[in-house]
Amino acid sequence: MIMAARDERGASGPRAVVPTDEFRGAMDRGDVVLHYQPQVELRPMAVTGAEALIRWQHPTSGMLPPDEFLPALAHSLLMPTVTDWVVLTAARAAADWGELSVAVNISAADASRHGLVEAVRSALETTGLPAHRLILEVTEHALVGDLDGATRNLGRLADDGVRVSLDDFGTGYSSLLYLRELPINEIKIDRVFTMGIGTNRDDDAIVAGLVKLGHAIGVRVVAEGVETVEQLSVLASLDCDAAQGFLFGRAAERLVLPSLPAPTSGAGAIPHRRRRGEAVATEGAATVIRQLLAEGASLHTIAARLNQDGVRTAQGSRWVGATVGRALSQL
Ligand code: C2E
Ligand code: CA
Ligand code: CA
């Protein structure tokens, strides 16, 4: 499948095997695409935007996720071209999204590189996307190399109104130093912590602490990898600002807006175990919902499956994501 090519730096060692030629060809042919995964604000519940995630539609190997090709490209001279393409493509897509924002991932070497600021400005100008609707996600690992350079680049873009998010928060080194040095608007709690919510008391405590830390320094806190309504309920009770994960939908070629529980005031905006009311799910529906939830299905997918199987709510109506959310809170 992926052919070896020479490292453009001509370096020797394991990193000399970089599929840059093949990847460049794939970009030219339109085989490299972005998929978009929705991000949801929790109070009141509303989609605020999406994260752009790169994929390679490989002619023989099928749709490749980034982990299968980005590590090989990360240190090649092609990486800046890839990032510039990602920023431009995502900005072009988001220009049609009304008020929604788009988040793009900036690779380690890119955060501090010469030319990043100009490329981002040019993408905004070409597409007409207002700066405040672009979020640059940088990982802590991305900052280890050249913190001064990254601080300079991100500071200039922040002055333009572009937002900066510290990705995979909690997994790198010296997180707190980055919080102090960089113009950060948001932290994204890594999904290793989200995964343990409700089952691992340490993770509950870590997430609670990260939310408090974020709010104490005035940044928004987003939890990634949210897969269950239980995780969502805990995050909402901890005052986490926003969430992203399979519960709301996987990344897709076009931004698919998830159906959300109907907005109400306060904690009722989130499906919650303690919420009372007329039962929405019959015994049969409840069994299907539990089973699909265990398989990791989103509210939207569960609703679609129930409708497809001819199962109706206890009130006799078709299912939407919001009624599945309400049913869950009553299980
Ligand atoms: P990331 O920035 O942490 O992106 C989130 C990853 O978690 C995505 O994987 C996404 O599909 C996955 N994910 C989202 N929700 C859930 C969930 O509920 N459960 C689980 N188990 N996973 C979930 P993906 O698309 O394979 O991306 C992997 C990583 O590749 C990204 O991690 C990011 O670091 C990198 N990446 C993706 N696109 C780009 C890009 O355009 N440029 C750069 N430099 N890096 C990118
Ligand atoms: Ca990210
Ligand atoms: Ca992440």
Side-chain angles (χ1 to χ4, degrees), residues 10-269:
S12 56
R15 283 217 175 102
V17 182
V18 176
T20 49
D21 291 346
E22 193 188 354
F23 195 79
R24 198 194 298 265
M27 287 180 79
D28 293 343
R29 281 192 304 278
D31 290 348
V32 178
V33 293
L34 292 183
H35 281 188
Y36 300 92
Q37 185 180 35
Q39 296 185 332
V40 176
E41 196 162 74
L42 301 188
R43 289 175 199 278
M45 264 193 135
V47 177
T48 53
E51 177 176 1
L53 295 158
I54 198 168
R55 270 105 184 85
W56 180 358
Q57 181 83 66
H58 195 276
T60 52
S61 308
M63 190 69 88
L64 297 179
D67 292 347
E68 290 195 29
F69 57 89
L70 277 189
L73 293 173
H75 299 276
S76 76
L77 291 183
L78 187 59
M79 198 59 214
T81 309
V82 175
T83 299
D84 292 353
W85 176 85
V86 168
V87 173
L88 179 63
T89 307
R92 191 172 282 136
D96 288 336
W97 290 354
E99 271 311 296
L100 301 186
S101 55
V102 69
V104 295
N105 292 282
I106 300 295
S107 82
D110 271 326
S112 55
R113 90 164 134 98
H114 187 69
L116 177 78
V117 174
E118 289 67 27
V120 171
R121 285 180 178 162
S122 155
L124 294 176
E125 207 175 292
T126 308
T127 61
L129 184 75
H132 73 272
R133 286 176 45 211
L134 177 67
I135 303 171
L136 303 181
E137 295 194 3
V138 289
T139 63
E140 297 172 53
H141 303 285
L143 302 166
V144 172
D146 180 5
L147 182 57
D148 287 347
T151 308
R152 241 188 334 270
N153 272 351
L154 298 176
R156 288 171 67 199
L157 290 169
D159 286 345
D160 292 350
V162 172
R163 289 185 278 159
V164 179
S165 175
L166 196 46
D167 204 355
D168 303 339
F169 191 73
T171 60
Y173 344 110
S174 312
S175 320
L176 301 178
L177 177 66
Y178 301 136
L179 278 185
R180 202 186 61 185
E181 297 298 319
L182 291 165
I184 303 247
N185 304 91
E186 173 185 287
I187 56 177
K188 283 186 96 171
I189 299 178
D190 193 78
R191 68 172 177 277
V192 296
F193 302 120
T194 310
M195 253 164 32
I197 290 178
T199 54
N200 180 328
R201 291 183 63 174
D202 287 347
D203 285 346
D204 284 1
I206 290 171
V207 171
L210 293 177
V211 173
K212 276 205 180 110
L213 172 65
H215 289 170
I217 58 164
V219 304
R220 187 166 180 262
V221 182
V222 183
E224 64 177 23
V226 179
E227 297 187 356
T228 70
V229 171
E230 280 69 24
Q231 290 165 349
L232 182 62
S233 293
V234 173
L235 288 164
S237 71
L238 293 176
D239 239 5
C240 185
D241 299 290
Q244 180 182 341
F246 294 167
L247 179 65
F248 299 111
R250 291 176 186 250
E253 211 164 330
R254 283 166 188 278
L255 172 59
V256 179
L257 296 180
S259 42
L260 301 171
T264 57
S265 59

